[in-house]
């Protein structure tokens, strides 16, 4: 490779092999002298439609700083980087798909992602000796634990069937909702911020 254009293609192929996604594009911010000595001050990887730990992210942006690498004409190897930052979003369609996939006995009638809150309305069905249904409404927000994993906590939950527990249903909905975790990603950043608005869930991690 002789020039930043060649290195861009080289690194795009490298990350395509490391990150499962529909589209992966590497963007290098480096002078030719930097590249010749195996250094990249700033490396950005643009990722689209990436499934990670059961959640498909619409877009991800991975930024690595002070990257050191080797290239012998056949094999590229990233030796180290000083800092890694990851940001991205989950679309409303993926949120709905996650609920349907992980909680098939709950039929969503309305999903609101705005003003920092997640509100889910729908019909919950449970089969005991006979079939029971409840009209459920849950509202909550994403919270991040010490491991840097972000999950929804539903603080408000109501239903119209006293024989079914609104609390149990809301806890099941929280588990069925997208969980932001990057333990199996190329880097393992911790989620530091989650924003919910405009029918999307946005996050940043480092």
């Amino acid at each position: 490779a002789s020039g930043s254009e060649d290195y861009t293609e080289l690194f795009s192929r490298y990350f395509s092999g490391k990150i499962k996604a529909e589209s992966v594009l590497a963007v290098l911010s480096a002078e030719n002298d930097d590249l010749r000595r195996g250094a990249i001050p700033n490396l950005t990887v643009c990722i689209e439609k990436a499934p990670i730990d059961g959640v498909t992210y619409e877009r991800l942006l991975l930024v690595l700083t002070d990257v050191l690498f080797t290239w012998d004409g056949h094999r590229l190897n990233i030796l180290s980087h000083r800092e890694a930052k990851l940001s991205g979003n989950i679309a409303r369609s993926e949120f709905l798909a996650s609920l349907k996939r992980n909680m098939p006995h709950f039929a969503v009638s309305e999903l609101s992602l705005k003003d920092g809150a997640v509100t889910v309305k729908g019909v919950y069905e449970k089969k005991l000796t006979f079939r029971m249904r409840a009209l459920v409404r849950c509202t909550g927000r994403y919270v991040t634990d010490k491991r840097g994993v972000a999950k929804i906590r539903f603080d408000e939950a109501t239903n119209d069937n006293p024989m079914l527990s609104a609390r149990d249903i809301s806890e099941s909905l929280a588990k069925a909702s997208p969980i932001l975790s990057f333990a199996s990603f190329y880097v393992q950043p911790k989620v530091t911020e989650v924003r919910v608005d405009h029918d999307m869930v946005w996050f940043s991690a480092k």
Side-chain angles (χ1 to χ4, degrees):
S2 58
S4 59
E5 294 82 4
D6 296 320
Y7 276 101
T8 294
E9 183 179 349
L10 180 66
F11 276 88
S12 293
R13 290 201 307 269
Y14 171 85
F15 283 105
S16 293
K18 299 290 184 180
I19 300 171
K20 182 180 178 182
E22 186 176 293
S23 173
V24 178
L25 175 65
V27 180
L28 284 63
S29 296
E31 301 292 337
N32 285 333
D33 287 343
D34 294 323
L35 296 174
R36 278 192 288 270
R37 63 185 178 86
I40 303 173
N42 191 284
L43 173 59
T44 302
V45 186
C46 308
I47 307 160
E48 294 184 355
K49 300 294 177 63
I52 303 170
D53 291 338
V55 178
T56 298
Y57 293 84
E58 185 177 33
R59 290 183 180 85
L60 293 172
L61 197 66
L62 173 63
V63 179
L64 304 175
T65 57
D66 295 336
V67 177
L68 297 179
F69 71 95
T70 58
W71 166 247
D72 61 7
H74 300 284
R75 182 179 177 84
L76 172 67
N77 185 32
I78 292 182
L79 303 174
S80 65
H81 59 269
R82 181 174 60 85
E83 186 179 48
K85 294 182 179 180
L86 183 69
S87 60
N89 76 291
I90 301 170
R92 183 178 183 275
S93 58
E94 170 59 22
F95 204 110
L96 284 169
S98 181
L99 291 175
K100 184 177 181 180
R101 182 171 58 248
N102 298 324
M103 201 170 175
H105 48 286
F106 184 85
V108 179
S109 61
E110 182 180 332
L111 172 63
S112 173
L113 304 173
K114 65 178 183 179
D115 299 330
V118 176
T119 300
V120 182
K121 296 180 183 178
V123 177
Y124 175 79
E125 186 175 283
K126 187 173 185 178
K127 187 176 182 181
L128 299 173
T129 54
F130 55 92
R131 195 180 302 275
M132 291 192 297
R133 292 182 177 180
L135 183 61
V136 180
R137 182 182 188 277
C138 298
T139 300
R141 297 175 182 272
Y142 270 93
V143 293
T144 305
D145 62 22
K146 294 180 180 179
R147 300 172 300 155
V149 176
K151 303 178 181 179
I152 290 179
R153 183 175 63 202
F154 288 111
D155 297 319
E156 301 176 25
T158 60
N159 74 59
D160 64 351
N161 189 338
M163 297 183 68
L164 295 173
S165 168
R167 179 179 179 180
D168 290 347
I169 296 172
S170 67
E171 289 178 352
S172 296
L173 274 174
K175 293 177 182 178
S177 300
I179 296 173
L180 282 64
S181 174
F182 298 97
S184 65
F185 191 57
Y186 174 76
V187 292
Q188 293 81 44
K190 295 182 178 181
V191 177
T192 56
E193 181 184 12
V194 180
R195 291 173 290 162
V196 178
D197 212 350
H198 303 295
D199 278 338
M200 292 185 184
V201 177
W202 308 76
F203 79 92
S204 57
K206 63 181 180 179

